[in-house]
Amino acid sequence: YDLFLNLIYIFELNFNMNIKKLKEAEIKFGNPLYVYDLSIIENQFKELKNGFRNIKNFKINFAAKSLSNISILKFMKKLGAGLDTVSIEEVKIGLICGFNNEDITFTPNGVSFNEIEEAYNLKVKINLDSLESIKDFSKKYSSYPISIRVNPNILSGGNKNVSVGHDESKFGIPQDYLDEIAEMENKKNIIIEGIHIHTGSDIVELDNFQEAFKKIFLVAKKFKNVKILNFGGGLKIPYFEGDSKTNILNLSNSIKKLINDNSFVTKNNLKIILEPGKFLVGESGYFLTKVNYVKKTPNKVFVQLNSGFNHFIRPIFYDSYHEIINITNPNDKEYEYDVVGYVCEQDNFALKRKISNVRKGDILCFKNAGAYCSSMSSNYNSRIKPAEVCIWKNKLVKIKERENLNNILNGQIDIF
Ligand code: PLP
């Protein structure tokens, strides 16, 4: 518990130091703006690596979809991460960023066989999640070892959109089909070198993880050539002071215990992989936008922002909570506001939220905006996407230009 309080304290301290930097970033690069503190990413990476130091052959694969800017990917590589990818584009970007083929795992869901073949041609690790795609693969590439994503039949995760491991989910191979795949392996039609399970995101209950881990070990025993056990991502970060987070030491201890109970892991020197996104980058990110108006109606006070769900969709899509700080006026009396975007639909970022006195022109900062924020932004309403900036060694470094109208018009064909 003390360690937990300590971490919150360090986090707050870090943020207070960052307020100055965030203000500076907005003045220099405008808004809306994404800012990432690389020292937070580094600390998260070290915490995870350190927590698992007792586990031999442990590897962290960063879930590229959570924050896909090439400078972030290269930073992950510098830290020693591999890459978890879900599209052939992510695979290619990973290779461009210098990741080795064997450090990139491609875990597609429902993609065309052509895309799987492209990944095969690029010689990255392939992790298939349907019997149908495995059968197609075995017809042409029976000697290329693959991993399989197994549906653990567990309902866990912070929101229904990120709870992907239950038996009605489109993800993963139902366990009933595993004997058929083992039979294919016996007939030398396929080689299964890895077992993968990803249950969901924002998981804090160790029981849920443990249940999934036990399933991985059980499944692994069905196959003869297993070299990799991949436990997916889903580690939870705190969203507000006192909020829960996944306890890394408890997590690594439970994996360690299962390894000790299953001698085939050490005997075969199996590689143990975790592939977090949110845990590594969530807390590093800040999203800054200006207050266009403070609009009063008889019942409400709306803070109308210079942004919308086109830039920042998590509060709307996942109902996620992000702390909001008025960095222009952080220490004034607090009032209750509905914080909304400018998109022509309901895009409520926060309802009845207490924020330090908000005025027209103030800059608001959303915390925990590193994962699934910029990477999920779109050009809806023909809006351009924000610039992205890093704080690194106390300097501000731009890592993505703000878009302009050409980004929207490019590729469109005028037939009149
Ligand atoms: N692995 C897989 C297969 C995923 O689908 C996801 C997220 O969707 C992740 C890892 C990363 O999850 P998180 O960001 O919650 O750690």
Side-chain angles (χ1 to χ4, degrees), residues 16 103 122 149 170-171 186 194 197 236 276 324 346 404:
N16 291 336
D103 289 333
L122 294 170
R149 175 174 181 173
K170 67 169 184 159
F171 297 96
N186 285 338
I197 284 182
K236 187 180 176 307
I324 304 173
Q346 285 285 1
N404 58 46

Side-chain angles (χ1 to χ4, degrees), residues 63 65-66 84 86 107 127 149 162 164 171 196 198 200-202 232-235 275-279 371-372:
K65 62 183 151 291
S66 61
D84 157 47
V86 292
T107 303
N127 182 27
R149 175 174 181 173
V162 293
V164 293
F171 297 96
H196 169 269
H198 172 77
S201 275
D202 278 339
L235 317 189
E275 47 183 28
K278 209 174 281 166
F279 181 84
Y372 309 101

Side-chain angles (χ1 to χ4, degrees), residues 23 39 68 100 103 110 117 144 154 166 202 219 238 242 278 282 311 318 341 347 373 414:
K23 279 187 188 168
S39 68
S68 44
N100 295 327
D103 289 333
E117 279 193 302
Y144 189 82
I154 297 170
H166 56 87
D202 278 339
V219 172
K278 209 174 281 166
H311 297 148
Y318 297 120
D347 54 351
C373 292
D414 180 357

